[in-house]
Amino acid sequence: MKTTAVFCALSVLYGALAFYLPGLAPVNYCKAGETLETCKSDIQLYVNRLNTEKYVIPYEYSHFDFCTVEDGQSPVENLGQVVFGERIRPSPYKLEFLKDVKCDKVCIKTYTGGYPASEKKLQLLRKGMAMNYQHHWIVDNMPVTWCYQLEDERQYCSTGFPMGCYSKEPRSQQDTCTIHGPYNKPNTYYLFNHVNLTITYHSGATEEWGSGFKENGGRIISAKVVPHSIKHTGTIDCESQIPLEIPATAQAAGQTFQITFTYSVKFVRNNTIKWSSRWDYILESMPHTNIQWFSILNSLIIVLFLSGMVAMIMLRTLHKDIARYNQIESGEDAQEEFGWKLVHGDVFRPPRKGMLLSVLLGSGVQVFFMTLVTLAFACLGFLSPANRGALMTCAMVLYVCLGTTAGYVAARIYKSFGGEKWKSNVLLTSMLSPGIVFSLFFMMNLIFWVNGSSAAVPFSTLIALLALWFGVSVPLTFIGAYLGFKKRALEHPVRTNQIPRQIPEQNFYTQLVPGIVMGGVLPFGCIFIQLFFILNSLWSSQVYYMFGFLFLVFLILVITCSETTILLCYFHLCAEDYHWWWRSFLTSGFTAVYLLIYCIHFFFTKLDIEGATSTFLYFGYTFIMVHLFFLLTGTIGFFACFWFVRKIYSVVKVD
């Protein structure tokens, strides 16, 4: 059974990897002068924001003094791209299909000493090179990649390339200046003002062109760049070996300094790679990809086996308990009840702070279904890397539209607790969790805005997000709450006594805090390997694409949270502790605390983030992720335990 499940999940994974984005049609290119209705000759090169691993704040391309175009039309960005800070703009680089460019000038920038504007622009360039800010260019919806050799002699293709490098002492093997070549003058800034573009294409991609266009037409399958620093003295010479050094200090008054930006383009034919497989060389070069396959599969098999053992033990023990409780009463057997049957009159007693618990559960169900549907779409290929921002857009739209589910669940649970303040319940459900997320997001957006970052969401987008919240999500939550309160309250299988039973003194492992701390260990154990690659993709500009395994890990997380919470709940009930409502939510929800600890560990051991502002932004995003994960895992554990308790008390005979 488990082997079949793993096999099916792997089949889904391979299908997702091989399947290109549905609805995304390839673009056919022809040589200039032979353009048809089905193809075009001009290739548009777009530039995106610049970011770095050392500084969380990204900047728009025009923030630095690079060559720009005045009359270009920017592509329409979706909600996910805007929220993530992507700013795609047209570039002044002119590309024509099959037209090689040996050495062409883009523009010349002149800086004069004594002018504050010039000094500020040069200082921005120095800052960008010192912090290793990277360009992100796009050709035919493909990232322009920069490929180089790693220390283990394996080629790594990055989706960005540096704007320059700062040669400092001591130097390391993976220093940007060392990778590029002879840029070794200590404490010197080298600006990469020249790029060699290599565009690989698949010719004869469409049979409907006819035989006359097979040689001069095709589809782009890759675009690679090799940046250089070249000092053009007088005439433009792209073969010069003299690097361009940016002055480290302010220039003398009246002294001028020029930067000439140039580029070369070369087209290479390759008919062995299909257009549908053109992302493979990027994805396969991601670090530790082979290790990830083995490690994730190994951890999943272990967790599945352990979960099966827990389930088997629970079923055998429960079967014996129920058989003993339900046996024909004899004089000896009917003397005294014991174990979990003893607390049947208190097990469904409403908990303290039932309003808050119901609100958290409603928001947790909302997050659960948002995650489930988003991962399902990602596995089917709809949210592939080719569709930029689609993952975030899908998640946000689903979260808003699932307000009805949140309101319905919160109302049903709250009504089962005997609550009557339905207005407070629905307002808290629609405001509490979204309010926490939006408040953190708004604070970080203010920091981005103060720093002039491209990640600062425009005011119009903030208004749109608020409109989605108050105009769509809140009304849907009210509709769900209305439907939930209209239903009859949940009927429990046993009656609740009027006087609460006294709970005996508990052992160490059945006390509240130790039980909660132990409950989050196993669920975290099944996600921490996948978590490493997710954090890498978020903070190290790597492409995450293994949604098949992520979906499988999510299913295992659901199973593990459920079984762990049920097991601990059973122990507590056997110890005559009937306060399981909040305990079941917090037991699996404590996995989020381990997630927070891991994010802190990742920050100090894997990242090179510098500055108090970047640190605050990192932990701001981390707290949003931890908060949503707390709601997700806590809700899974609660409803598993809720089903378990109702099930066992419905099959046992109670006087």
Side-chain angles (χ1 to χ4, degrees), residues 47 60-72 89-94 106-109 261:
V47 293
E60 197 166 344
Y61 184 81
S62 59
H63 179 79
F64 300 97
D65 197 27
F66 298 128
C67 303
T68 56
V69 61
E70 297 294 334
D71 55 349
R89 303 288 182 260
S91 76
Y93 294 86
K94 305 298 181 183
V106 184
C107 72
I108 298 177
K109 296 290 184 178
F261 289 89

Side-chain angles (χ1 to χ4, degrees), residues 165-167 171 175-184 188 190 192:
C165 68
Y166 175 55
S167 179
R171 307 187 69 193
D175 183 81
T176 306
C177 289
T178 304
I179 294 172
H180 280 82
Y183 309 127
N184 51 15
T188 304
Y190 296 98
F192 296 146

Side-chain angles (χ1 to χ4, degrees), residues 419-431:
E420 298 178 352
K421 299 179 180 178
W422 66 270
K423 294 181 180 178
S424 301
N425 181 263
V426 68
L427 283 174
L428 281 173
T429 305
S430 60
M431 298 294 178

Side-chain angles (χ1 to χ4, degrees), residues 222-242:
S222 73
K224 298 180 181 180
V225 63
V226 178
H228 295 283
S229 178
I230 300 176
K231 183 178 182 181
H232 299 284
T233 55
T235 59
I236 297 176
D237 182 12
C238 296
E239 302 296 328
S240 174
Q241 299 297 317
I242 304 175

Side-chain angles (χ1 to χ4, degrees), residues 171-233:
R171 307 187 69 193
S172 65
Q173 291 294 325
Q174 290 301 308
D175 183 81
T176 306
C177 289
T178 304
I179 294 172
H180 280 82
Y183 309 127
N184 51 15
K185 188 176 178 180
N187 301 319
T188 304
Y189 296 94
Y190 296 98
L191 180 68
F192 296 146
N193 60 324
H194 175 81
V195 291
N196 286 327
L197 286 166
T198 302
I199 299 178
T200 307
Y201 68 98
H202 184 110
S203 65
T206 52
E207 296 297 332
E208 65 269 16
W209 289 358
S211 59
F213 293 95
K214 286 187 178 180
E215 294 298 324
N216 297 330
R219 296 172 179 172
I220 293 175
I221 56 177
S222 73
K224 298 180 181 180
V225 63
V226 178
H228 295 283
S229 178
I230 300 176
K231 183 178 182 181
H232 299 284
T233 55

Side-chain angles (χ1 to χ4, degrees), residues 1-18:
M1 178 80 178
K2 293 166 188 168
T3 307
T4 305
V6 173
F7 177 77
C8 292
L10 289 175
S11 301
V12 171
L13 172 66
Y14 280 110
L17 290 178

